[in-house]
Amino acid sequence: MNVYDSDKISSLLRKSLGLELVDDPKDATVLIVNTCSVRDKAQQKLYSELGRWRKFKETCPDAIIGVGGCVASQEGGDILARAPYVDVVFGPQTLHRLPGLIKKARENSKPEIDISFPEIEKFDSLPIEKTQKASVYVSIMEGCSKYCSFCVVPYTRGEEFSRSFEDVLKEIYLVARGGAKEVTLLGQNVNAYQSNNDEGKIVDFPALLHYVSAIPGIERIRYTTSHPIEFSQRLINVHKELPKLVKHVHLPVQSGSDRILRRMKRGYTSLEYKSIVRRLRSICPEMSISSDFIVGFPGETKEDFIDTMSLIEEIKFDQSFSFSYSSRPGTPAADLDDQVEDKVKQERLALLQSKITNFANHYSIAMVGNIEKILVTGESKKSSELLAGRTENNRVVNFAGEKALIGSMVNVRIEEVFPNSLGGSYLPSA
Ligand code: SAM
């Protein structure tokens, strides 16, 4: 979501103020840091980055320093108290007002803060950029109304708000016309999406997927992130109905212990989670499931952690975003007494990650010899001699091929497995 927002910030500043991105911050006249406050470290990183930018501001007093994103939304004026050389503070829902805030800060030579939540206005005011990218993100909803006891998102991004159906389709048509073949529908809980079509009929997430799949040029559809409580049978069926939808679902579970899930206010049990996965795999046995986990949530006992490890063993997750619980000020879980020791959290996290890495390796090894459809997104990070792209189950594949293949969907035979990628050979179509 932040990558998407950062792209929008740079297109807004290009369109409204004629600014261009520079490689070296020393060449900048406007420096923006877009922050995340899901975990504590991001907040600490903001203040160390601002510490470095302070020196820059001393040598270039006319430069504008802006802080956006969820830390800005949470800290507001406190940022100016800690870093008085900051000129603009804006939240995830006011990034479209950034050009105006910069102008005002320059004219009045005093800082501007706007961290309000005018979601409707934001979606209406963001520029839709023509893109030449093969794979693009399109935001379909914002915010979260689930109020999990550990999470700051409802307080920093506001409640769930769906973008209009017409705007979502317009953006996807436009990027598809520019050559995009893959679209990732983006939101905190995409399966909470709800809008109306021009006849006033409700378009929910399964219906939206059908419309997106009908857009000419779009060959592959992904979505992230979904939430288990809105993972309906209709959504499961869509995975059977739409061949363009990848055989991969990222579905955050957080814990395998029902006691902890209750304390987290997740709204489902581990059995209900397993039932979703079972039904997804009954229509597509090779469905790859990745997830988010939090270890060391307050009160998590050894038995609770064992329940999480058993769930991992049962589902055989393929990859995860897993984190130690990080106490977020203002969330209900931050006030719980029985916080887990850091050392215990680290040990549990290492065990969990090693188990999931083993499963991910196992899946990668099983892919050797397969012919996979790869969307070629550019040159490989490993070598400019190689191309890179992703498989349906979201693995990076590097292979030798002509640069002209960038942007197209090609067949590659998988031959090698590396810790974070696969290697293969391009198979020209007959
Ligand atoms: N749809 C997702 C869900 O089902 O929860 C929401 C994604 S959430 C914004 C991103 C991830 O950050 C969560 O799934 C969770 O694993 C992690 N996260 C959120 N708050 C956290 C906290 N206080 N400590 C550690 N990890 C946290």
Side-chain angles (χ1 to χ4, degrees), residues 43-71:
Q43 203 161 350
Q44 293 162 5
K45 277 191 200 158
L46 165 69
Y47 286 110
S48 16
E49 188 67 25
L50 287 179
R52 282 189 286 277
W53 288 6
R54 174 194 199 137
K55 293 187 192 101
F56 173 76
K57 183 85 175 185
E58 280 163 10
T59 50
C60 302
D62 291 337
I64 291 283
I65 293 184
V67 180
C70 290
V71 178

PDB file of all heavy atoms in Angstrom, residues 43-71:
ATOM      1  N   GLN A  43       8.713   3.553  13.014  1.00  0.00           N
ATOM      2  CA  GLN A  43       8.624   4.848  13.668  1.00  0.00           C
ATOM      3  C   GLN A  43      10.024   5.338  14.080  1.00  0.00           C
ATOM      4  O   GLN A  43      10.387   6.486  13.860  1.00  0.00           O
ATOM      5  CB  GLN A  43       7.774   4.672  14.898  1.00  0.00           C
ATOM      6  CG  GLN A  43       7.141   5.911  15.403  1.00  0.00           C
ATOM      7  CD  GLN A  43       5.978   5.534  16.320  1.00  0.00           C
ATOM      8  OE1 GLN A  43       5.583   4.371  16.385  1.00  0.00           O
ATOM      9  NE2 GLN A  43       5.446   6.489  17.013  1.00  0.00           N
ATOM     10  N   GLN A  44      10.807   4.378  14.655  1.00  0.00           N
ATOM     11  CA  GLN A  44      12.168   4.750  15.055  1.00  0.00           C
ATOM     12  C   GLN A  44      12.992   5.155  13.841  1.00  0.00           C
ATOM     13  O   GLN A  44      13.772   6.103  13.877  1.00  0.00           O
ATOM     14  CB  GLN A  44      12.855   3.578  15.752  1.00  0.00           C
ATOM     15  CG  GLN A  44      12.234   3.239  17.086  1.00  0.00           C
ATOM     16  CD  GLN A  44      12.615   1.845  17.547  1.00  0.00           C
ATOM     17  OE1 GLN A  44      13.417   1.153  16.923  1.00  0.00           O
ATOM     18  NE2 GLN A  44      12.021   1.413  18.650  1.00  0.00           N
ATOM     19  N   LYS A  45      12.785   4.402  12.724  1.00  0.00           N
ATOM     20  CA  LYS A  45      13.548   4.702  11.507  1.00  0.00           C
ATOM     21  C   LYS A  45      13.231   6.108  11.010  1.00  0.00           C
ATOM     22  O   LYS A  45      14.107   6.793  10.493  1.00  0.00           O
ATOM     23  CB  LYS A  45      13.196   3.701  10.402  1.00  0.00           C
ATOM     24  CG  LYS A  45      13.955   2.405  10.490  1.00  0.00           C
ATOM     25  CD  LYS A  45      13.718   1.632   9.206  1.00  0.00           C
ATOM     26  CE  LYS A  45      14.017   0.167   9.372  1.00  0.00           C
ATOM     27  NZ  LYS A  45      13.339  -0.649   8.377  1.00  0.00           N
ATOM     28  N   LEU A  46      11.967   6.528  11.145  1.00  0.00           N
ATOM     29  CA  LEU A  46      11.580   7.873  10.691  1.00  0.00           C
ATOM     30  C   LEU A  46      12.435   8.912  11.399  1.00  0.00           C
ATOM     31  O   LEU A  46      13.017   9.797  10.771  1.00  0.00           O
ATOM     32  CB  LEU A  46      10.098   8.155  10.972  1.00  0.00           C
ATOM     33  CG  LEU A  46       9.721   9.638  10.850  1.00  0.00           C
ATOM     34  CD1 LEU A  46       9.791  10.103   9.396  1.00  0.00           C
ATOM     35  CD2 LEU A  46       8.348   9.928  11.428  1.00  0.00           C
ATOM     36  N   TYR A  47      12.524   8.790  12.731  1.00  0.00           N
ATOM     37  CA  TYR A  47      13.243   9.830  13.462  1.00  0.00           C
ATOM     38  C   TYR A  47      14.746   9.788  13.167  1.00  0.00           C
ATOM     39  O   TYR A  47      15.390  10.830  13.132  1.00  0.00           O
ATOM     40  CB  TYR A  47      12.915   9.762  14.959  1.00  0.00           C
ATOM     41  CG  TYR A  47      11.511  10.298  15.223  1.00  0.00           C
ATOM     42  CD1 TYR A  47      10.474   9.460  15.608  1.00  0.00           C
ATOM     43  CD2 TYR A  47      11.220  11.651  15.025  1.00  0.00           C
ATOM     44  CE1 TYR A  47       9.181   9.955  15.811  1.00  0.00           C
ATOM     45  CE2 TYR A  47       9.924  12.148  15.223  1.00  0.00           C
ATOM     46  CZ  TYR A  47       8.918  11.301  15.614  1.00  0.00           C
ATOM     47  OH  TYR A  47       7.654  11.795  15.787  1.00  0.00           O
ATOM     48  N   SER A  48      15.315   8.599  12.900  1.00  0.00           N
ATOM     49  CA  SER A  48      16.739   8.632  12.547  1.00  0.00           C
ATOM     50  C   SER A  48      16.930   9.241  11.157  1.00  0.00           C
ATOM     51  O   SER A  48      17.889   9.981  10.923  1.00  0.00           O
ATOM     52  CB  SER A  48      17.445   7.265  12.659  1.00  0.00           C
ATOM     53  OG  SER A  48      16.546   6.235  12.716  1.00  0.00           O
ATOM     54  N   GLU A  49      15.991   8.950  10.233  1.00  0.00           N
ATOM     55  CA  GLU A  49      16.099   9.553   8.888  1.00  0.00           C
ATOM     56  C   GLU A  49      15.976  11.082   8.998  1.00  0.00           C
ATOM     57  O   GLU A  49      16.757  11.819   8.394  1.00  0.00           O
ATOM     58  CB  GLU A  49      14.982   8.988   7.998  1.00  0.00           C
ATOM     59  CG  GLU A  49      15.053   9.355   6.530  1.00  0.00           C
ATOM     60  CD  GLU A  49      16.248   8.745   5.815  1.00  0.00           C
ATOM     61  OE1 GLU A  49      16.759   7.695   6.271  1.00  0.00           O
ATOM     62  OE2 GLU A  49      16.699   9.336   4.816  1.00  0.00           O
ATOM     63  N   LEU A  50      15.028  11.540   9.813  1.00  0.00           N
ATOM     64  CA  LEU A  50      14.856  12.991   9.956  1.00  0.00           C
ATOM     65  C   LEU A  50      16.103  13.626  10.569  1.00  0.00           C
ATOM     66  O   LEU A  50      16.462  14.753  10.224  1.00  0.00           O
ATOM     67  CB  LEU A  50      13.618  13.309  10.806  1.00  0.00           C
ATOM     68  CG  LEU A  50      12.259  13.081  10.129  1.00  0.00           C
ATOM     69  CD1 LEU A  50      11.118  13.402  11.093  1.00  0.00           C
ATOM     70  CD2 LEU A  50      12.113  13.928   8.857  1.00  0.00           C
ATOM     71  N   GLY A  51      16.765  12.879  11.458  1.00  0.00           N
ATOM     72  CA  GLY A  51      18.010  13.380  12.052  1.00  0.00           C
ATOM     73  C   GLY A  51      19.043  13.671  10.963  1.00  0.00           C
ATOM     74  O   GLY A  51      19.722  14.698  10.969  1.00  0.00           O
ATOM     75  N   ARG A  52      19.122  12.751   9.974  1.00  0.00           N
ATOM     76  CA  ARG A  52      20.070  12.949   8.861  1.00  0.00           C
ATOM     77  C   ARG A  52      19.629  14.146   8.003  1.00  0.00           C
ATOM     78  O   ARG A  52      20.462  14.932   7.549  1.00  0.00           O
ATOM     79  CB  ARG A  52      20.150  11.693   7.997  1.00  0.00           C
ATOM     80  CG  ARG A  52      21.010  10.603   8.616  1.00  0.00           C
ATOM     81  CD  ARG A  52      21.258   9.465   7.646  1.00  0.00           C
ATOM     82  NE  ARG A  52      20.091   8.625   7.471  1.00  0.00           N
ATOM     83  CZ  ARG A  52      19.756   7.634   8.292  1.00  0.00           C
ATOM     84  NH1 ARG A  52      20.531   7.353   9.326  1.00  0.00           N
ATOM     85  NH2 ARG A  52      18.677   6.912   8.092  1.00  0.00           N
ATOM     86  N   TRP A  53      18.324  14.291   7.794  1.00  0.00           N
ATOM     87  CA  TRP A  53      17.829  15.360   6.931  1.00  0.00           C
ATOM     88  C   TRP A  53      17.972  16.738   7.596  1.00  0.00           C
ATOM     89  O   TRP A  53      17.970  17.755   6.918  1.00  0.00           O
ATOM     90  CB  TRP A  53      16.359  15.112   6.582  1.00  0.00           C
ATOM     91  CG  TRP A  53      16.187  13.981   5.615  1.00  0.00           C
ATOM     92  CD1 TRP A  53      17.181  13.154   5.158  1.00  0.00           C
ATOM     93  CD2 TRP A  53      14.984  13.556   4.968  1.00  0.00           C
ATOM     94  NE1 TRP A  53      16.659  12.228   4.284  1.00  0.00           N
ATOM     95  CE2 TRP A  53      15.314  12.452   4.148  1.00  0.00           C
ATOM     96  CE3 TRP A  53      13.666  13.981   5.010  1.00  0.00           C
ATOM     97  CZ2 TRP A  53      14.377  11.784   3.378  1.00  0.00           C
ATOM     98  CZ3 TRP A  53      12.730  13.324   4.236  1.00  0.00           C
ATOM     99  CH2 TRP A  53      13.080  12.233   3.424  1.00  0.00           C
ATOM    100  N   ARG A  54      18.116  16.740   8.907  1.00  0.00           N
ATOM    101  CA  ARG A  54      18.274  18.017   9.612  1.00  0.00           C
ATOM    102  C   ARG A  54      19.527  18.742   9.107  1.00  0.00           C
ATOM    103  O   ARG A  54      19.505  19.936   8.823  1.00  0.00           O
ATOM    104  CB  ARG A  54      18.419  17.711  11.109  1.00  0.00           C
ATOM    105  CG  ARG A  54      18.724  18.912  11.908  1.00  0.00           C
ATOM    106  CD  ARG A  54      19.191  18.548  13.295  1.00  0.00           C
ATOM    107  NE  ARG A  54      19.028  19.706  14.118  1.00  0.00           N
ATOM    108  CZ  ARG A  54      18.558  19.709  15.328  1.00  0.00           C
ATOM    109  NH1 ARG A  54      18.237  18.591  15.915  1.00  0.00           N
ATOM    110  NH2 ARG A  54      18.437  20.823  15.998  1.00  0.00           N
ATOM    111  N   LYS A  55      20.619  17.945   8.953  1.00  0.00           N
ATOM    112  CA  LYS A  55      21.879  18.534   8.477  1.00  0.00           C
ATOM    113  C   LYS A  55      21.687  19.101   7.075  1.00  0.00           C
ATOM    114  O   LYS A  55      22.177  20.170   6.730  1.00  0.00           O
ATOM    115  CB  LYS A  55      22.992  17.478   8.482  1.00  0.00           C
ATOM    116  CG  LYS A  55      23.337  17.068   9.876  1.00  0.00           C
ATOM    117  CD  LYS A  55      24.553  16.154   9.923  1.00  0.00           C
ATOM    118  CE  LYS A  55      24.655  15.546  11.299  1.00  0.00           C
ATOM    119  NZ  LYS A  55      24.156  14.173  11.376  1.00  0.00           N
ATOM    120  N   PHE A  56      20.945  18.346   6.265  1.00  0.00           N
ATOM    121  CA  PHE A  56      20.678  18.781   4.893  1.00  0.00           C
ATOM    122  C   PHE A  56      19.930  20.123   4.910  1.00  0.00           C
ATOM    123  O   PHE A  56      20.255  21.048   4.167  1.00  0.00           O
ATOM    124  CB  PHE A  56      19.843  17.696   4.206  1.00  0.00           C
ATOM    125  CG  PHE A  56      19.353  18.060   2.839  1.00  0.00           C
ATOM    126  CD1 PHE A  56      20.214  18.039   1.753  1.00  0.00           C
ATOM    127  CD2 PHE A  56      18.027  18.420   2.638  1.00  0.00           C
ATOM    128  CE1 PHE A  56      19.761  18.372   0.494  1.00  0.00           C
ATOM    129  CE2 PHE A  56      17.571  18.765   1.384  1.00  0.00           C
ATOM    130  CZ  PHE A  56      18.436  18.738   0.299  1.00  0.00           C
ATOM    131  N   LYS A  57      18.950  20.236   5.790  1.00  0.00           N
ATOM    132  CA  LYS A  57      18.133  21.457   5.875  1.00  0.00           C
ATOM    133  C   LYS A  57      18.995  22.655   6.308  1.00  0.00           C
ATOM    134  O   LYS A  57      18.759  23.788   5.895  1.00  0.00           O
ATOM    135  CB  LYS A  57      16.993  21.215   6.864  1.00  0.00           C
ATOM    136  CG  LYS A  57      16.025  22.339   7.024  1.00  0.00           C
ATOM    137  CD  LYS A  57      14.924  22.309   5.985  1.00  0.00           C
ATOM    138  CE  LYS A  57      13.916  23.407   6.282  1.00  0.00           C
ATOM    139  NZ  LYS A  57      12.775  23.377   5.421  1.00  0.00           N
ATOM    140  N   GLU A  58      20.025  22.370   7.163  1.00  0.00           N
ATOM    141  CA  GLU A  58      20.912  23.468   7.593  1.00  0.00           C
ATOM    142  C   GLU A  58      21.673  24.048   6.405  1.00  0.00           C
ATOM    143  O   GLU A  58      21.862  25.255   6.298  1.00  0.00           O
ATOM    144  CB  GLU A  58      21.890  22.963   8.655  1.00  0.00           C
ATOM    145  CG  GLU A  58      21.239  22.905  10.028  1.00  0.00           C
ATOM    146  CD  GLU A  58      22.019  22.035  11.016  1.00  0.00           C
ATOM    147  OE1 GLU A  58      23.163  21.617  10.705  1.00  0.00           O
ATOM    148  OE2 GLU A  58      21.450  21.758  12.089  1.00  0.00           O
ATOM    149  N   THR A  59      22.071  23.143   5.462  1.00  0.00           N
ATOM    150  CA  THR A  59      22.814  23.651   4.303  1.00  0.00           C
ATOM    151  C   THR A  59      21.881  24.159   3.205  1.00  0.00           C
ATOM    152  O   THR A  59      22.269  25.000   2.412  1.00  0.00           O
ATOM    153  CB  THR A  59      23.752  22.557   3.721  1.00  0.00           C
ATOM    154  OG1 THR A  59      22.961  21.389   3.540  1.00  0.00           O
ATOM    155  CG2 THR A  59      24.923  22.252   4.628  1.00  0.00           C
ATOM    156  N   CYS A  60      20.646  23.628   3.130  1.00  0.00           N
ATOM    157  CA  CYS A  60      19.673  24.087   2.108  1.00  0.00           C
ATOM    158  C   CYS A  60      18.390  24.524   2.802  1.00  0.00           C
ATOM    159  O   CYS A  60      17.394  23.780   2.803  1.00  0.00           O
ATOM    160  CB  CYS A  60      19.315  22.975   1.145  1.00  0.00           C
ATOM    161  SG  CYS A  60      20.673  22.272   0.290  1.00  0.00           S
ATOM    162  N   PRO A  61      18.360  25.697   3.420  1.00  0.00           N
ATOM    163  CA  PRO A  61      17.183  26.090   4.210  1.00  0.00           C
ATOM    164  C   PRO A  61      15.896  26.218   3.394  1.00  0.00           C
ATOM    165  O   PRO A  61      14.810  26.147   3.948  1.00  0.00           O
ATOM    166  CB  PRO A  61      17.583  27.435   4.825  1.00  0.00           C
ATOM    167  CG  PRO A  61      18.860  27.832   4.198  1.00  0.00           C
ATOM    168  CD  PRO A  61      19.433  26.694   3.442  1.00  0.00           C
ATOM    169  N   ASP A  62      16.013  26.365   2.043  1.00  0.00           N
ATOM    170  CA  ASP A  62      14.792  26.498   1.232  1.00  0.00           C
ATOM    171  C   ASP A  62      14.151  25.160   0.890  1.00  0.00           C
ATOM    172  O   ASP A  62      13.031  25.123   0.365  1.00  0.00           O
ATOM    173  CB  ASP A  62      15.097  27.235  -0.080  1.00  0.00           C
ATOM    174  CG  ASP A  62      15.427  28.693   0.198  1.00  0.00           C
ATOM    175  OD1 ASP A  62      14.990  29.181   1.271  1.00  0.00           O
ATOM    176  OD2 ASP A  62      16.127  29.306  -0.618  1.00  0.00           O
ATOM    177  N   ALA A  63      14.879  24.091   1.151  1.00  0.00           N
ATOM    178  CA  ALA A  63      14.310  22.770   0.832  1.00  0.00           C
ATOM    179  C   ALA A  63      13.110  22.500   1.729  1.00  0.00           C
ATOM    180  O   ALA A  63      13.039  22.991   2.856  1.00  0.00           O
ATOM    181  CB  ALA A  63      15.374  21.695   1.045  1.00  0.00           C
ATOM    182  N   ILE A  64      12.157  21.741   1.175  1.00  0.00           N
ATOM    183  CA  ILE A  64      10.955  21.395   1.944  1.00  0.00           C
ATOM    184  C   ILE A  64      11.088  19.953   2.416  1.00  0.00           C
ATOM    185  O   ILE A  64      11.431  19.057   1.631  1.00  0.00           O
ATOM    186  CB  ILE A  64       9.698  21.523   1.043  1.00  0.00           C
ATOM    187  CG1 ILE A  64       9.420  22.989   0.700  1.00  0.00           C
ATOM    188  CG2 ILE A  64       8.472  20.844   1.660  1.00  0.00           C
ATOM    189  CD1 ILE A  64       8.776  23.803   1.814  1.00  0.00           C
ATOM    190  N   ILE A  65      10.821  19.720   3.702  1.00  0.00           N
ATOM    191  CA  ILE A  65      10.837  18.353   4.222  1.00  0.00           C
ATOM    192  C   ILE A  65       9.403  17.983   4.608  1.00  0.00           C
ATOM    193  O   ILE A  65       8.748  18.698   5.377  1.00  0.00           O
ATOM    194  CB  ILE A  65      11.776  18.229   5.447  1.00  0.00           C
ATOM    195  CG1 ILE A  65      13.230  18.446   4.989  1.00  0.00           C
ATOM    196  CG2 ILE A  65      11.622  16.866   6.119  1.00  0.00           C
ATOM    197  CD1 ILE A  65      14.269  18.257   6.061  1.00  0.00           C
ATOM    198  N   GLY A  66       8.905  16.886   4.045  1.00  0.00           N
ATOM    199  CA  GLY A  66       7.537  16.449   4.326  1.00  0.00           C
ATOM    200  C   GLY A  66       7.525  15.048   4.923  1.00  0.00           C
ATOM    201  O   GLY A  66       8.328  14.194   4.541  1.00  0.00           O
ATOM    202  N   VAL A  67       6.632  14.825   5.870  1.00  0.00           N
ATOM    203  CA  VAL A  67       6.458  13.490   6.451  1.00  0.00           C
ATOM    204  C   VAL A  67       5.012  13.062   6.205  1.00  0.00           C
ATOM    205  O   VAL A  67       4.079  13.756   6.597  1.00  0.00           O
ATOM    206  CB  VAL A  67       6.745  13.479   7.973  1.00  0.00           C
ATOM    207  CG1 VAL A  67       6.559  12.066   8.532  1.00  0.00           C
ATOM    208  CG2 VAL A  67       8.152  13.984   8.274  1.00  0.00           C
ATOM    209  N   GLY A  68       4.870  11.908   5.521  1.00  0.00           N
ATOM    210  CA  GLY A  68       3.522  11.414   5.231  1.00  0.00           C
ATOM    211  C   GLY A  68       3.324  10.016   5.785  1.00  0.00           C
ATOM    212  O   GLY A  68       4.206   9.460   6.441  1.00  0.00           O
ATOM    213  N   GLY A  69       2.150   9.445   5.525  1.00  0.00           N
ATOM    214  CA  GLY A  69       1.878   8.062   5.913  1.00  0.00           C
ATOM    215  C   GLY A  69       1.336   7.932   7.319  1.00  0.00           C
ATOM    216  O   GLY A  69       0.922   8.918   7.947  1.00  0.00           O
ATOM    217  N   CYS A  70       1.358   6.697   7.821  1.00  0.00           N
ATOM    218  CA  CYS A  70       0.647   6.395   9.073  1.00  0.00           C
ATOM    219  C   CYS A  70       1.332   6.923  10.332  1.00  0.00           C
ATOM    220  O   CYS A  70       0.655   7.227  11.304  1.00  0.00           O
ATOM    221  CB  CYS A  70       0.424   4.890   9.190  1.00  0.00           C
ATOM    222  SG  CYS A  70      -0.779   4.321   7.984  1.00  0.00           S
ATOM    223  N   VAL A  71       2.680   7.040  10.323  1.00  0.00           N
ATOM    224  CA  VAL A  71       3.324   7.620  11.512  1.00  0.00           C
ATOM    225  C   VAL A  71       2.925   9.092  11.602  1.00  0.00           C
ATOM    226  O   VAL A  71       2.620   9.607  12.686  1.00  0.00           O
ATOM    227  CB  VAL A  71       4.867   7.473  11.483  1.00  0.00           C
ATOM    228  CG1 VAL A  71       5.495   8.127  12.702  1.00  0.00           C
ATOM    229  CG2 VAL A  71       5.275   6.012  11.410  1.00  0.00           C
TER     230      VAL A  71
END
